[in-house]
Amino acid sequence: QVQLVESGGGLVQAGGSLRLSCAASGTIFSPSTMGWVRQAPGKQRELVAQITSGSSTYDADSVKGRFTISRVSAKNTVYLQMNSLKPDDTADYYCNGVLWGTDYWGKGTLVTVSS
């Protein structure tokens, strides 16, 4: 059973930084694509950032220049470094991984940015 477990969320003041981590377990294979999706109350789910096994990345316009996604494939772990956080970044952040065409999701970690 593949599991994704997020960590690193919390409360931070505007302008601050947080680093989210997501570790995949239950598989010896590395997900082809890993990423982060966020859901804020009353807002649509948004793909924040994504990284492939070849380290190609995608960043949403809303986080460009502030968030950086990276991964350590040997550890089946993906990171999201979030700098210059804004109150609008407040959301539940979910880790996603695609392995053999199947989507896997973590349970989410809450990021709260106070003004």
Side-chain angles (χ1 to χ4, degrees):
Q1 180 91 15
V2 177
Q3 290 187 318
L4 301 180
V5 179
E6 304 100 334
S7 61
L11 174 64
V12 64
Q13 287 190 327
S17 298
L18 282 174
R19 188 174 85 148
L20 304 183
S21 301
C22 171
S25 62
T27 176
I28 62 172
F29 299 103
S30 184
S32 56
T33 301
M34 298 188 77
W36 294 91
V37 172
R38 67 185 180 185
Q39 177 92 60
K43 294 186 179 180
Q44 287 190 329
R45 181 174 289 192
E46 177 186 21
L47 175 62
V48 175
Q50 207 169 48
I51 186 167
T52 69
S53 56
S55 296
S56 294
T57 61
Y58 161 84
D59 301 312
D61 287 343
S62 57
V63 305
K64 277 188 192 298
R66 300 188 298 122
F67 291 11
T68 302
I69 190 169
S70 61
R71 68 187 289 173
V72 178
S73 293
K75 295 183 178 181
N76 268 352
T77 300
V78 65
Y79 304 95
L80 186 67
Q81 178 66 44
M82 306 185 294
N83 299 328
S84 302
L85 282 160
K86 305 175 181 179
D88 280 351
D89 295 318
T90 295
D92 286 305
Y93 284 71
Y94 297 91
C95 178
N96 168 256
V98 180
L99 183 63
W100 304 118
T102 299
D103 270 299
Y104 295 92
W105 294 91
K107 293 184 178 180
T109 185
L110 177 62
V111 172
T112 302
V113 184
S114 63
S115 56

